[in-house]
Amino acid sequence: MLLFLAASEDIKKHRVPNRITGAVCLLGAVNISINSSPKDRWETIAFTCLFLFLLLVLYFAAKNIRQSNGKKFYFGGADVKIALGAMLFFGWEKALFGMFFGLVAAMEVYIAKRAIHNRKLNKENASAEIPLVPWIVCGMLAFSFVM
């Protein structure tokens, strides 16, 4: 339920409050401490830390990238925190594949949106903002049922 709340906040405001992302991370930590064996627990924590490090590198690197129209590219911190919480909750395999699936779907929608808008609008008027949390959540939920 918290993931859907985070996705709806990202769609409406392009911002997810820290209380929602913090609750997702807290529930993920509680879930992994209760429902997993010690071997699986440490494996999930190790892969989550590695993945979190890679996401933080992407987050800080993306803050300095400019798009072709001069606007700054923005990869929000909520995306990183939701990925971390979901990785702790679902396990690293489901979360990693789900996040990959969600981000690929978001890229396809972004490319289609740009292709449609570039025919009607110039590049300055075409919006480049796509909320990533809904795509990440959909991908992770899909893979939580598949795997």
Side-chain angles (χ1 to χ4, degrees):
M1 192 61 158
L2 282 173
L3 292 175
F4 289 119
L5 182 61
S8 68
E9 286 290 320
D10 197 25
I11 290 171
K12 286 185 224 173
K13 302 176 185 173
H14 290 279
R15 186 161 180 81
V16 180
N18 285 334
R19 64 182 179 271
I20 296 173
T21 56
V24 169
C25 291
L26 181 65
L27 285 176
V30 167
N31 180 56
I32 194 171
S33 65
I34 293 173
N35 294 330
S36 64
S37 67
K39 178 187 176 279
D40 291 340
R41 185 178 308 141
W42 290 112
E43 181 181 295
T44 301
I45 290 172
F47 277 105
T48 301
C49 289
L50 175 67
F51 189 68
L52 177 63
F53 173 75
L54 294 175
L55 282 176
L56 287 174
V57 167
L58 175 65
Y59 172 71
F60 287 115
K63 283 188 158 272
N64 296 320
I65 297 174
R66 294 212 176 261
Q67 297 175 6
S68 61
N69 60 1
K71 294 182 180 178
K72 283 196 94 161
F73 175 78
Y74 187 70
F75 183 80
D79 306 321
V80 174
K81 291 181 272 188
I82 290 292
L84 170 68
M87 191 170 276
L88 288 172
F89 190 80
F90 293 121
W92 70 271
E93 301 100 343
K94 294 175 187 173
L96 187 63
F97 287 119
M99 188 168 179
F100 176 75
F101 176 75
L103 291 176
V104 167
M107 279 187 350
E108 290 173 357
V109 168
Y110 174 75
I111 290 169
K113 182 179 175 184
R114 292 293 294 205
I116 291 169
H117 282 294
N118 282 341
R119 288 187 200 137
K120 298 177 183 174
L121 303 171
N122 57 15
K123 287 187 178 182
E124 290 79 29
N125 293 336
S127 174
E129 294 180 4
I130 288 186
L132 289 179
V133 173
W135 296 101
I136 292 171
V137 168
C138 289
M140 287 186 189
L141 289 175
F143 270 88
S144 72
F145 293 117
V146 170
M147 294 177 85

